[in-house]
Amino acid sequence: MSVLSDLAAALRAGSIEIIDLTAPLSSETPILELPPEFGQTARFELEEISRYDDRGPGWYWNNFRTGEHTGTHFDAPNHWVTNTGGADIASVPVDGFLRPAAMLDFSAEVADNPDFLVEVEHIKAWEAEHGSLPDGGWLLFRTGWESRTSQRDMINADDTGPHSPGLSADCARWVAEESPAIGIGVETVGTDAGTAHSFDPAFPCHALLLGSNKYGLTQLRNLSRVPPTGAMVVATPLPIVSGSGSPARVLALVER
Ligand code: MN
């Protein structure tokens, strides 16, 4: 038996389950909000071309418009000013689209503190319990934020700005420069914490991970169904030429 025929048999038998980590894409999908002096990303919009009608009697289809960074999406290295010559989303090597994953669960901490930040010590504690991080794998951070499906709940802003969990600047630097990870995956609208505009550097996951030719995955769902170790992640952005990111279908293969 070959590895791939074993995989096909395991999928058919249900001993490997495919879990969809992707949020649905619609005009309701939450998006990042920047201060008004900056350009803003677009919501996902469908424009109907025809629907079995006089515009096209036998077929239904749409045009769509969206920001590259809308919904569950993949951040390319060239997204950030720390890597202006980095890979665009069409140039990210495809071997990055199928990688093992570690799932780190901070949903209890975030329930008490929406500004919770993952520190290096948290990741070290996870390693002490579960073993080394997978080489070239994703770090998936479960926070419970996936239940916040409206724009308001997802951004969770007050007078002082947005409040959502993320990584400290020290932790982002460690993931970027010392960990074996290919990137991080989060449930929030972007890879950085809501308060990360005030970190040093600002938006450290973007600045340091993308600056190190690593990647980001956002607005993931169903991480509660992903075990701490052993999952394989399939993350497939569109090859938008010169693009800085793309909505992606993200799946986890999990052994039962
Ligand atoms: Mn993004």
Side-chain angles (χ1 to χ4, degrees), residues 80-82 117 166-174 176-177 191-212:
W80 220 251
V81 67
T82 47
L117 299 178
L167 276 58
S168 72
D170 282 347
C171 187
R173 187 177 300 282
W174 183 84
E177 297 176 2
T191 54
D192 271 298
T195 54
H197 54 85
S198 64
F199 293 4
D200 182 19
F203 306 108
C205 290
H206 286 89
L208 300 169
L209 270 81
L210 300 179
S212 299

Side-chain angles (χ1 to χ4, degrees), residues 57-247:
W59 48 93
Y60 165 56
W61 57 346
N62 301 293
N63 295 315
F64 65 81
R65 177 173 191 266
T66 185
E68 294 170 329
H69 298 257
T70 296
T72 303
H73 70 269
F74 194 117
D75 282 353
N78 73 341
H79 180 38
W80 220 251
V81 67
T82 47
N83 200 351
T84 55
D88 65 81
I89 194 68
S91 305
V92 171
V94 295
D95 78 343
F97 301 164
L98 182 59
R99 291 294 177 107
M103 198 285 291
L104 294 78
D105 187 351
F106 298 102
S107 53
E109 290 85 345
V110 172
D112 291 337
N113 174 18
D115 290 315
F116 175 79
L117 299 178
V118 179
E119 301 287 354
V120 178
E121 304 86 80
H122 294 118
I123 300 179
K124 296 286 189 191
W126 185 96
E127 286 190 294
E129 187 178 352
H130 298 287
S132 299
L133 298 174
D135 193 21
W138 293 100
L139 305 190
L140 306 179
F141 295 103
R142 181 177 177 227
T143 57
W145 215 255
E146 69 163 317
S147 66
R148 295 168 173 263
T149 55
S150 72
Q151 180 70 23
R152 201 180 103 164
D153 290 348
M154 176 67 80
I155 301 301
N156 195 37
D158 64 14
D159 301 347
T160 64
H163 295 277
S164 56
L167 276 58
S168 72
D170 282 347
C171 187
R173 187 177 300 282
W174 183 84
V175 172
E177 297 176 2
E178 295 184 53
S179 86
I182 192 175
I184 65 169
V186 301
E187 296 175 17
T188 44
V189 78
T191 54
D192 271 298
T195 54
H197 54 85
S198 64
F199 293 4
D200 182 19
F203 306 108
C205 290
H206 286 89
L208 300 169
L209 270 81
L210 300 179
S212 299
N213 296 310
K214 294 189 174 186
Y215 310 124
L217 291 173
T218 64
Q219 278 191 57
L220 299 177
R221 291 193 172 180
N222 293 321
L223 292 180
S224 62
R225 298 171 60 197
V226 175
T229 63
M232 286 292 294
V233 165
V234 180
T236 54
L238 299 174
I240 301 168
V241 174
S242 83
S244 71
S246 166

Side-chain angles (χ1 to χ4, degrees), residues 44-50 55 60-65:
F44 184 86
E45 288 172 41
L46 276 186
E47 175 197 67
E48 193 172 275
I49 304 169
S50 71
R55 298 169 300 172
Y60 165 56
W61 57 346
N62 301 293
N63 295 315
F64 65 81
R65 177 173 191 266

Side-chain angles (χ1 to χ4, degrees), residues 4-18:
L4 286 178
S5 61
D6 286 352
L7 173 63
L11 288 166
R12 195 134 177 92
S15 59
I16 292 179
E17 184 185 0
I18 303 177

